[in-house]
Amino acid sequence: MNVDDLFLLGVRLQKIAESAIPAEGIGDHPTSTRTVLIVAADIRDHPGTTVTEVARRTGLVQSQVSNCVARLRSADALITEPDPTDGRRTLLRPSPEPSARMRAVREAPIAPALAAATTDPTEALALLERLEALLRPTD
């Protein structure tokens, strides 16, 4: 497997995961679920960050990040607060407790999405769980 294959595998896995996320009740938004997840993950990894910093790290344009922040705030998945050292900036932090929307996403079964994407969803799930264990960061 080369870097291209790994990248394409990652994109395919993102699409499978996105198809498993429940969409009921979220309404129309100018940002994709994938983009919101990218922003949420960046904020989780960098609490106390800003929209500008998220945009720089993720390669998303600032307006996309701002739209994602608005969606995350409306889902109670994010806390915003003024920067105590610069009142023009807003700091972003994940909510300390998962919102109802976050719980629904985390509890969504992956099996139907895997069944639609592979001929052997049980084996695919086992491989994904093994890969997750292998790729966990060590402290």
Side-chain angles (χ1 to χ4, degrees):
M1 176 177 279
N2 60 38
V3 172
D4 287 344
D5 293 335
L6 184 61
F7 178 81
L8 293 174
L9 175 61
V11 169
R12 179 109 168 108
L13 290 172
Q14 283 181 323
K15 287 180 180 182
I16 292 168
E18 188 174 0
S19 72
I21 295 173
E24 299 82 33
I26 64 168
D28 292 331
H29 296 281
T31 54
S32 71
T33 301
R34 182 177 312 141
T35 305
V36 172
L37 292 173
I38 290 167
V39 170
D42 187 81
I43 293 168
R44 181 198 61 224
D45 293 344
H46 303 94
T49 193
T50 66
V51 168
T52 301
E53 292 165 345
V54 173
R56 182 180 42 77
R57 282 191 298 269
T58 62
L60 298 169
V61 295
Q62 195 159 340
S63 62
Q64 286 179 302
V65 176
S66 293
N67 286 330
C68 292
V69 166
R71 272 183 76 177
L72 290 164
R73 284 185 69 195
S74 71
D76 295 325
L78 180 67
I79 301 169
T80 60
E81 58 192 21
D83 184 337
T85 62
D86 183 348
R88 297 169 296 171
R89 293 174 12 132
T90 300
L91 303 179
L92 313 171
R93 298 183 191 289
S95 293
E97 295 296 322
S99 67
R101 175 73 183 143
M102 288 173 59
R103 283 192 300 279
V105 168
R106 288 178 182 166
E107 293 169 3
I110 192 73
L114 282 175
T118 182
T119 57
D120 189 346
T122 304
E123 178 66 16
L125 184 58
L127 290 170
L128 286 173
E129 288 171 350
R130 178 71 179 128
L131 182 60
E132 178 188 29
L134 289 170
L135 295 177
R136 271 195 199 113
T138 56
D139 294 328

CSV table of all heavy atoms in Angstrom, one decimal, residues 73-120:
chain,number,residue,atom,x,y,z
A,73,ARG,N,-22.3,25.0,17.9
A,73,ARG,CA,-22.9,25.8,19.1
A,73,ARG,C,-24.4,25.5,19.2
A,73,ARG,O,-24.9,25.3,20.3
A,73,ARG,CB,-22.7,27.3,18.9
A,73,ARG,CG,-21.3,27.7,19.2
A,73,ARG,CD,-21.1,29.2,19.1
A,73,ARG,NE,-21.9,29.8,20.2
A,73,ARG,CZ,-22.2,31.1,20.3
A,73,ARG,NH1,-21.8,31.9,19.3
A,73,ARG,NH2,-22.8,31.6,21.3
A,74,SER,N,-25.1,25.4,18.0
A,74,SER,CA,-26.6,25.2,18.1
A,74,SER,C,-26.9,23.8,18.5
A,74,SER,O,-28.0,23.5,19.0
A,74,SER,CB,-27.2,25.4,16.7
A,74,SER,OG,-26.8,24.4,15.8
A,75,ALA,N,-25.9,22.9,18.4
A,75,ALA,CA,-26.1,21.5,18.9
A,75,ALA,C,-25.6,21.3,20.3
A,75,ALA,O,-25.5,20.2,20.8
A,75,ALA,CB,-25.4,20.5,18.0
A,76,ASP,N,-25.2,22.4,21.0
A,76,ASP,CA,-24.6,22.4,22.3
A,76,ASP,C,-23.4,21.5,22.4
A,76,ASP,O,-23.1,20.9,23.5
A,76,ASP,CB,-25.7,21.9,23.3
A,76,ASP,CG,-26.8,22.9,23.5
A,76,ASP,OD1,-26.6,24.1,23.3
A,76,ASP,OD2,-28.0,22.5,23.6
A,77,ALA,N,-22.6,21.5,21.3
A,77,ALA,CA,-21.4,20.6,21.3
A,77,ALA,C,-20.1,21.5,21.5
A,77,ALA,O,-19.0,21.0,21.6
A,77,ALA,CB,-21.3,19.9,20.0
A,78,LEU,N,-20.3,22.8,21.7
A,78,LEU,CA,-19.2,23.7,21.7
A,78,LEU,C,-19.5,24.9,22.6
A,78,LEU,O,-20.6,25.4,22.7
A,78,LEU,CB,-19.0,24.2,20.2
A,78,LEU,CG,-17.9,25.2,19.9
A,78,LEU,CD1,-16.5,24.5,20.1
A,78,LEU,CD2,-18.0,25.6,18.5
A,79,ILE,N,-18.5,25.3,23.3
A,79,ILE,CA,-18.6,26.5,24.1
A,79,ILE,C,-17.7,27.6,23.5
A,79,ILE,O,-16.5,27.3,23.1
A,79,ILE,CB,-18.1,26.2,25.6
A,79,ILE,CG1,-18.9,25.1,26.2
A,79,ILE,CG2,-18.1,27.5,26.4
A,79,ILE,CD1,-18.3,24.6,27.5
A,80,THR,N,-18.2,28.8,23.4
A,80,THR,CA,-17.4,29.9,23.0
A,80,THR,C,-17.2,30.9,24.1
A,80,THR,O,-18.1,31.1,24.9
A,80,THR,CB,-18.0,30.6,21.8
A,80,THR,OG1,-19.3,31.1,22.1
A,80,THR,CG2,-18.1,29.7,20.6
A,81,GLU,N,-16.1,31.5,24.2
A,81,GLU,CA,-15.8,32.5,25.2
A,81,GLU,C,-14.8,33.6,24.7
A,81,GLU,O,-14.0,33.2,23.9
A,81,GLU,CB,-15.3,31.9,26.5
A,81,GLU,CG,-14.0,31.1,26.3
A,81,GLU,CD,-13.7,30.2,27.5
A,81,GLU,OE1,-14.5,29.8,28.3
A,81,GLU,OE2,-12.5,29.8,27.6
A,82,PRO,N,-15.0,34.8,25.2
A,82,PRO,CA,-14.0,35.8,24.8
A,82,PRO,C,-12.6,35.5,25.3
A,82,PRO,O,-12.4,35.0,26.4
A,82,PRO,CB,-14.5,37.1,25.4
A,82,PRO,CG,-15.7,36.7,26.3
A,82,PRO,CD,-16.0,35.3,26.1
A,83,ASP,N,-11.6,35.8,24.5
A,83,ASP,CA,-10.2,35.6,24.8
A,83,ASP,C,-9.9,36.7,25.9
A,83,ASP,O,-10.1,37.9,25.6
A,83,ASP,CB,-9.4,35.8,23.6
A,83,ASP,CG,-7.9,35.5,23.9
A,83,ASP,OD1,-7.4,35.7,25.0
A,83,ASP,OD2,-7.2,35.2,22.9
A,84,PRO,N,-9.5,36.3,27.1
A,84,PRO,CA,-9.2,37.3,28.1
A,84,PRO,C,-8.0,38.2,27.8
A,84,PRO,O,-7.9,39.3,28.3
A,84,PRO,CB,-8.9,36.4,29.4
A,84,PRO,CG,-8.6,35.1,28.9
A,84,PRO,CD,-9.2,34.9,27.5
A,85,THR,N,-7.2,37.8,26.8
A,85,THR,CA,-6.0,38.6,26.5
A,85,THR,C,-6.3,39.5,25.3
A,85,THR,O,-5.5,40.4,25.0
A,85,THR,CB,-4.8,37.8,26.2
A,85,THR,OG1,-5.0,36.9,25.1
A,85,THR,CG2,-4.4,37.0,27.4
A,86,ASP,N,-7.4,39.2,24.5
A,86,ASP,CA,-7.7,39.9,23.3
A,86,ASP,C,-9.2,39.8,23.1
A,86,ASP,O,-9.7,38.8,22.5
A,86,ASP,CB,-6.9,39.4,22.1
A,86,ASP,CG,-7.2,40.2,20.8
A,86,ASP,OD1,-8.1,41.0,20.8
A,86,ASP,OD2,-6.4,40.0,19.8
A,87,GLY,N,-9.9,40.8,23.5
A,87,GLY,CA,-11.4,40.8,23.4
A,87,GLY,C,-12.0,40.6,22.0
A,87,GLY,O,-13.2,40.3,21.9
A,88,ARG,N,-11.2,40.8,21.0
A,88,ARG,CA,-11.7,40.7,19.6
A,88,ARG,C,-11.7,39.2,19.2
A,88,ARG,O,-12.4,38.9,18.3
A,88,ARG,CB,-10.8,41.4,18.7
A,88,ARG,CG,-10.7,42.9,18.9
A,88,ARG,CD,-9.6,43.6,18.1
A,88,ARG,NE,-8.3,43.1,18.6
A,88,ARG,CZ,-7.2,43.3,18.0
A,88,ARG,NH1,-7.1,44.0,16.9
A,88,ARG,NH2,-6.1,42.8,18.5
A,89,ARG,N,-11.0,38.4,19.9
A,89,ARG,CA,-11.0,36.9,19.6
A,89,ARG,C,-11.9,36.1,20.4
A,89,ARG,O,-12.2,36.5,21.6
A,89,ARG,CB,-9.6,36.4,19.8
A,89,ARG,CG,-8.5,37.0,18.9
A,89,ARG,CD,-7.1,36.6,19.1
A,89,ARG,NE,-6.9,35.5,20.1
A,89,ARG,CZ,-6.1,34.5,19.8
A,89,ARG,NH1,-5.4,34.4,18.7
A,89,ARG,NH2,-5.9,33.5,20.7
A,90,THR,N,-12.4,35.1,19.9
A,90,THR,CA,-13.3,34.1,20.6
A,90,THR,C,-12.6,32.8,20.7
A,90,THR,O,-12.1,32.3,19.6
A,90,THR,CB,-14.7,34.0,19.8
A,90,THR,OG1,-15.3,35.3,19.8
A,90,THR,CG2,-15.6,33.0,20.6
A,91,LEU,N,-12.6,32.2,21.9
A,91,LEU,CA,-12.0,30.9,22.1
A,91,LEU,C,-13.0,29.8,22.0
A,91,LEU,O,-14.2,30.0,22.4
A,91,LEU,CB,-11.3,30.9,23.4
A,91,LEU,CG,-10.2,32.0,23.7
A,91,LEU,CD1,-9.6,31.8,25.1
A,91,LEU,CD2,-9.1,31.9,22.6
A,92,LEU,N,-12.6,28.7,21.4
A,92,LEU,CA,-13.6,27.6,21.2
A,92,LEU,C,-13.1,26.4,22.0
A,92,LEU,O,-11.9,26.1,22.0
A,92,LEU,CB,-13.5,27.2,19.7
A,92,LEU,CG,-13.7,28.4,18.7
A,92,LEU,CD1,-13.4,27.9,17.3
A,92,LEU,CD2,-15.0,29.0,18.8
A,93,ARG,N,-14.1,25.8,22.7
A,93,ARG,CA,-13.8,24.6,23.5
A,93,ARG,C,-15.0,23.6,23.3
A,93,ARG,O,-16.1,24.0,23.2
A,93,ARG,CB,-13.7,24.9,25.0
A,93,ARG,CG,-12.7,25.9,25.4
A,93,ARG,CD,-12.6,26.1,26.9
A,93,ARG,NE,-11.7,27.2,27.2
A,93,ARG,CZ,-10.4,27.2,27.1
A,93,ARG,NH1,-9.8,26.1,26.7
A,93,ARG,NH2,-9.7,28.2,27.4
A,94,PRO,N,-14.6,22.3,23.3
A,94,PRO,CA,-15.7,21.3,23.3
A,94,PRO,C,-16.5,21.5,24.6
A,94,PRO,O,-16.0,21.8,25.6
A,94,PRO,CB,-15.0,20.0,23.3
A,94,PRO,CG,-13.6,20.3,23.1
A,94,PRO,CD,-13.3,21.7,23.4
A,95,SER,N,-17.8,21.2,24.5
A,95,SER,CA,-18.7,21.2,25.7
A,95,SER,C,-18.2,20.1,26.6
A,95,SER,O,-17.7,19.0,26.2
A,95,SER,CB,-20.1,20.9,25.3
A,95,SER,OG,-20.6,22.0,24.6
A,96,PRO,N,-18.2,20.4,28.0
A,96,PRO,CA,-17.7,19.3,28.9
A,96,PRO,C,-18.5,18.1,28.9
A,96,PRO,O,-18.0,17.0,29.1
A,96,PRO,CB,-17.8,20.0,30.3
A,96,PRO,CG,-18.6,21.2,30.1
A,96,PRO,CD,-18.6,21.6,28.6
A,97,GLU,N,-19.8,18.2,28.6
A,97,GLU,CA,-20.7,17.0,28.5
A,97,GLU,C,-21.2,16.9,27.1
A,97,GLU,O,-21.5,17.9,26.5
A,97,GLU,CB,-21.9,17.2,29.5
A,97,GLU,CG,-21.5,17.2,30.9
A,97,GLU,CD,-20.8,15.9,31.4
A,97,GLU,OE1,-21.3,14.8,31.0
A,97,GLU,OE2,-19.9,15.9,32.2
A,98,PRO,N,-21.2,15.7,26.6
A,98,PRO,CA,-21.7,15.5,25.2
A,98,PRO,C,-23.2,15.9,25.1
A,98,PRO,O,-24.0,15.6,26.0
A,98,PRO,CB,-21.6,14.0,24.9
A,98,PRO,CG,-21.0,13.4,26.1
A,98,PRO,CD,-20.9,14.4,27.2
A,99,SER,N,-23.5,16.6,24.0
A,99,SER,CA,-24.9,17.1,23.8
A,99,SER,C,-25.7,15.9,23.3
A,99,SER,O,-25.2,14.8,23.0
A,99,SER,CB,-24.9,18.2,22.7
A,99,SER,OG,-24.5,17.6,21.5
A,100,ALA,N,-27.0,16.1,23.3
A,100,ALA,CA,-27.9,15.0,22.8
A,100,ALA,C,-27.5,14.6,21.3
A,100,ALA,O,-27.5,13.4,21.0
A,100,ALA,CB,-29.3,15.5,22.8
A,101,ARG,N,-27.2,15.6,20.5
A,101,ARG,CA,-26.8,15.3,19.1
A,101,ARG,C,-25.5,14.5,19.1
A,101,ARG,O,-25.3,13.6,18.3
A,101,ARG,CB,-26.6,16.7,18.4
A,101,ARG,CG,-26.1,16.5,17.0
A,101,ARG,CD,-27.1,15.9,16.0
A,101,ARG,NE,-26.5,15.8,14.7
A,101,ARG,CZ,-26.8,14.7,13.9
A,101,ARG,NH1,-27.7,13.8,14.3
A,101,ARG,NH2,-26.2,14.6,12.8
A,102,MET,N,-24.5,14.9,19.9
A,102,MET,CA,-23.2,14.2,20.0
A,102,MET,C,-23.5,12.7,20.4
A,102,MET,O,-22.9,11.8,19.9
A,102,MET,CB,-22.2,14.9,20.9
A,102,MET,CG,-21.7,16.2,20.3
A,102,MET,SD,-20.7,17.1,21.5
A,102,MET,CE,-19.4,16.0,21.9
A,103,ARG,N,-24.3,12.5,21.4
A,103,ARG,CA,-24.6,11.2,21.8
A,103,ARG,C,-25.3,10.4,20.7
A,103,ARG,O,-25.0,9.2,20.5
A,103,ARG,CB,-25.5,11.2,23.1
A,103,ARG,CG,-24.7,11.5,24.4
A,103,ARG,CD,-25.5,11.3,25.6
A,103,ARG,NE,-26.8,12.1,25.7
A,103,ARG,CZ,-26.9,13.3,26.1
A,103,ARG,NH1,-25.8,14.0,26.5
A,103,ARG,NH2,-28.0,13.9,26.1
A,104,ALA,N,-26.2,11.0,20.0
A,104,ALA,CA,-26.9,10.3,18.9
A,104,ALA,C,-25.9,9.9,17.8
A,104,ALA,O,-25.9,8.8,17.3
A,104,ALA,CB,-28.0,11.2,18.3
A,105,VAL,N,-24.9,10.7,17.5
A,105,VAL,CA,-23.9,10.4,16.5
A,105,VAL,C,-23.0,9.3,17.0
A,105,VAL,O,-22.7,8.3,16.3
A,105,VAL,CB,-23.1,11.7,16.1
A,105,VAL,CG1,-21.8,11.3,15.3
A,105,VAL,CG2,-23.9,12.7,15.4
A,106,ARG,N,-22.6,9.4,18.3
A,106,ARG,CA,-21.7,8.4,18.8
A,106,ARG,C,-22.3,7.0,19.0
A,106,ARG,O,-21.7,6.0,18.9
A,106,ARG,CB,-21.2,8.8,20.2
A,106,ARG,CG,-20.2,9.9,20.1
A,106,ARG,CD,-19.7,10.4,21.5
A,106,ARG,NE,-18.8,11.5,21.4
A,106,ARG,CZ,-18.4,12.3,22.4
A,106,ARG,NH1,-18.9,12.1,23.6
A,106,ARG,NH2,-17.6,13.2,22.2
A,107,GLU,N,-23.7,7.0,19.2
A,107,GLU,CA,-24.4,5.8,19.4
A,107,GLU,C,-24.9,5.2,18.1
A,107,GLU,O,-25.5,4.1,18.1
A,107,GLU,CB,-25.5,6.0,20.4
A,107,GLU,CG,-25.0,6.3,21.8
A,107,GLU,CD,-26.1,6.8,22.7
A,107,GLU,OE1,-27.3,6.8,22.3
A,107,GLU,OE2,-25.8,7.1,23.9
A,108,ALA,N,-24.8,5.9,17.0
A,108,ALA,CA,-25.3,5.4,15.7
A,108,ALA,C,-24.6,4.2,15.3
A,108,ALA,O,-23.3,4.1,15.3
A,108,ALA,CB,-25.1,6.5,14.6
A,109,PRO,N,-25.3,3.1,14.9
A,109,PRO,CA,-24.7,1.9,14.5
A,109,PRO,C,-23.9,2.1,13.2
A,109,PRO,O,-24.4,2.7,12.3
A,109,PRO,CB,-25.8,0.9,14.4
A,109,PRO,CG,-27.0,1.8,14.1
A,109,PRO,CD,-26.7,3.1,14.8
A,110,ILE,N,-22.8,1.5,13.1
A,110,ILE,CA,-22.0,1.5,11.9
A,110,ILE,C,-22.3,0.3,10.9
A,110,ILE,O,-22.1,0.4,9.7
A,110,ILE,CB,-20.5,1.6,12.2
A,110,ILE,CG1,-19.6,1.9,10.9
A,110,ILE,CG2,-20.0,0.3,12.8
A,110,ILE,CD1,-19.7,3.3,10.5
A,111,ALA,N,-22.9,-0.7,11.5
A,111,ALA,CA,-23.2,-1.9,10.7
A,111,ALA,C,-24.0,-1.7,9.4
A,111,ALA,O,-23.6,-2.2,8.3
A,111,ALA,CB,-23.9,-3.0,11.5
A,112,PRO,N,-25.1,-0.9,9.4
A,112,PRO,CA,-25.8,-0.7,8.2
A,112,PRO,C,-24.9,0.0,7.1
A,112,PRO,O,-25.0,-0.3,5.9
A,112,PRO,CB,-27.0,0.2,8.6
A,112,PRO,CG,-27.2,-0.1,10.0
A,112,PRO,CD,-25.8,-0.3,10.6
A,113,ALA,N,-24.1,1.0,7.5
A,113,ALA,CA,-23.2,1.7,6.5
A,113,ALA,C,-22.2,0.7,6.0
A,113,ALA,O,-21.9,0.7,4.8
A,113,ALA,CB,-22.6,2.9,7.2
A,114,LEU,N,-21.6,-0.1,6.9
A,114,LEU,CA,-20.6,-1.1,6.4
A,114,LEU,C,-21.3,-2.1,5.5
A,114,LEU,O,-20.7,-2.6,4.5
A,114,LEU,CB,-20.0,-1.8,7.6
A,114,LEU,CG,-18.9,-1.0,8.3
A,114,LEU,CD1,-18.4,-1.8,9.5
A,114,LEU,CD2,-17.8,-0.7,7.4
A,115,ALA,N,-22.5,-2.5,5.8
A,115,ALA,CA,-23.2,-3.5,5.0
A,115,ALA,C,-23.4,-3.0,3.6
A,115,ALA,O,-23.3,-3.7,2.6
A,115,ALA,CB,-24.5,-3.9,5.6
A,116,ALA,N,-23.7,-1.7,3.5
A,116,ALA,CA,-23.9,-1.1,2.1
A,116,ALA,C,-22.5,-0.9,1.4
A,116,ALA,O,-22.5,-0.8,0.2
A,116,ALA,CB,-24.6,0.3,2.3
A,117,ALA,N,-21.4,-0.9,2.1
A,117,ALA,CA,-20.1,-0.6,1.5
A,117,ALA,C,-19.2,-1.8,1.3
A,117,ALA,O,-18.2,-1.7,0.6
A,117,ALA,CB,-19.4,0.4,2.4
A,118,THR,N,-19.6,-3.0,1.8
A,118,THR,CA,-18.7,-4.1,1.7
A,118,THR,C,-19.5,-5.4,1.6
A,118,THR,O,-20.7,-5.4,2.0
A,118,THR,CB,-17.8,-4.2,2.9
A,118,THR,OG1,-16.9,-5.3,2.8
A,118,THR,CG2,-18.5,-4.3,4.2
A,119,THR,N,-18.9,-6.4,1.2
A,119,THR,CA,-19.6,-7.7,1.1
A,119,THR,C,-19.6,-8.5,2.4
A,119,THR,O,-20.3,-9.4,2.6
A,119,THR,CB,-19.0,-8.6,0.0
A,119,THR,OG1,-17.6,-8.8,0.3
A,119,THR,CG2,-19.1,-8.0,-1.4
A,120,ASP,N,-18.7,-8.1,3.3
A,120,ASP,CA,-18.6,-8.8,4.6
A,120,ASP,C,-18.5,-7.8,5.7
A,120,ASP,O,-17.4,-7.5,6.2
A,120,ASP,CB,-17.4,-9.8,4.6
A,120,ASP,CG,-17.4,-10.7,5.8
A,120,ASP,OD1,-18.1,-10.4,6.8
A,120,ASP,OD2,-16.6,-11.6,5.8
